[in-house]
Amino acid sequence: MIKAIAVDDEPLALDLIGSYCRDLDFVQLDKVFTGTGAALQYLEKNPVDLLFLDINMPAMSGIDFFRSLKHKPMLIFTTSYSEYALNSYDLGAIDYLLKPFTFERFKKAVDRAYETHNLIFNASISERSKFLTLKADYGLIKLPVKDILFIEGLDNYLKIHLEGGQPAVVRLTMKTLMEMLTEKEFLRVHRSYIVSVSHIESFRQKVITIAGEEIPVGKLYEDKVKALFSNPS
């Protein structure tokens, strides 16, 4: 079961989303909001898995609202305006529903969110230890954990550097990704860097070297890095 809320300044649209959700046994619509302010206050204390979000709203656009969230749920836009589709791609939205949308089209979007939720958060421990399944664009990518050299934070995105391959770029927070990795294999060494312990080549003068790349060690993380080299086992 995935928990969701809906934010739309049109009550009829919220009624429709509520009706559609009641016909699905794998999504629970906890709350609906006609304004972004109340929705923001709710999400600060009540994290959800999925957000149905209109774009063109009075106080703040849906795009700005989503960007303001500290913890970003999966996102499905529900809007009357097709011109914002590119923005949804940049924000990593699961889908983009143009009003008026049918139940079948709505279910297809929520099915995709449910599949994403299960793959990312309900994978077995053994599977997580071998692969990371992450949302990218409108689909999923599966990365072998053993190939990850280090992760670099870039504004609202993460750049995952891989051994023998091109980096993968995903929209995710450092904190969320770190929770998906095992602490023995990965170490956060800077507000903008997570490194693979097994790929560290050297640590000298607050700089870690991996595959010829120099990665700074932040002051808050220096003790952990020093402890790693003091107790390499």
Side-chain angles (χ1 to χ4, degrees):
M1 178 72 71
I2 54 178
K3 293 185 177 182
I5 68 166
V7 184
D8 196 310
D9 63 337
E10 299 177 13
L12 289 178
L14 293 174
D15 289 344
L16 183 65
I17 292 171
S19 174
Y20 284 171
C21 285
R22 286 191 291 273
D23 289 335
L24 299 173
D25 58 8
F26 54 87
V27 59
Q28 174 182 317
L29 187 64
D30 286 348
K31 286 274 189 179
V32 297
F33 299 91
T34 55
T36 53
L40 183 59
Q41 289 180 3
Y42 180 84
L43 287 174
E44 286 175 350
K45 297 180 180 179
N46 304 277
V48 297
D49 304 308
L50 177 62
L51 172 63
F52 298 104
L53 183 62
D54 189 15
I55 290 180
N56 192 16
M57 290 184 290
M60 176 188 291
S61 75
I63 292 171
D64 290 338
F65 170 73
F66 187 75
R67 284 174 174 161
S68 73
L69 297 179
K70 293 180 180 178
H71 304 290
K72 294 177 172 57
M74 295 181 292
L75 172 64
I76 294 177
F77 277 120
T78 57
T79 179
S80 301
Y81 301 90
S82 61
E83 61 264 32
Y84 296 105
L86 184 59
N87 296 87
S88 74
Y89 181 87
D90 290 339
L91 293 175
I94 293 288
D95 211 331
Y96 190 91
L97 298 179
L98 275 176
K99 299 174 183 176
F101 44 84
T102 64
F103 174 74
E104 288 72 22
R105 181 66 183 88
F106 179 85
K107 183 178 183 299
K108 182 179 179 181
V110 180
D111 280 342
R112 186 177 295 165
Y114 187 61
E115 178 185 357
T116 300
H117 179 268
N118 285 344
L119 284 172
I120 294 177
F121 297 103
N122 296 333
S124 68
I125 294 175
S126 59
E127 179 74 3
R128 287 188 186 188
S129 67
K130 296 178 182 178
F131 296 95
L132 275 184
T133 304
L134 303 171
K135 183 174 67 174
D137 302 333
Y138 286 118
L140 298 170
I141 56 173
K142 195 172 183 179
L143 304 176
V145 172
K146 66 179 180 60
D147 291 345
I148 298 175
L149 298 173
F150 62 95
I151 297 113
E152 180 181 5
L154 300 171
D155 295 328
N156 296 321
Y157 294 86
L158 298 181
K159 187 175 184 180
I160 303 175
H161 296 261
L162 302 168
E163 185 175 31
Q166 293 296 316
V169 178
V170 298
R171 185 177 180 84
L172 205 65
T173 66
M174 297 286 280
K175 182 178 183 294
T176 300
L177 184 56
M178 194 66 208
E179 289 173 351
M180 301 171 70
L181 300 168
T182 57
E183 291 185 6
K184 290 184 178 180
E185 294 179 323
F186 291 88
L187 184 66
R188 188 164 185 179
V189 300
H190 188 276
R191 64 187 302 272
S192 300
Y193 288 96
I194 297 169
V195 302
S196 167
V197 172
S198 64
H199 286 97
I200 294 176
E201 297 168 355
S202 67
F203 169 52
R204 184 179 180 183
Q205 296 180 344
K206 300 183 181 180
V207 173
I208 284 175
T209 303
I210 294 180
E213 296 286 339
E214 293 187 343
I215 299 161
V217 175
K219 186 176 181 180
L220 294 177
Y221 306 90
E222 191 174 353
D223 288 344
K224 283 189 176 182
V225 177
K226 287 180 178 178
L228 174 68
F229 281 85
S230 299
N231 303 282
S233 59

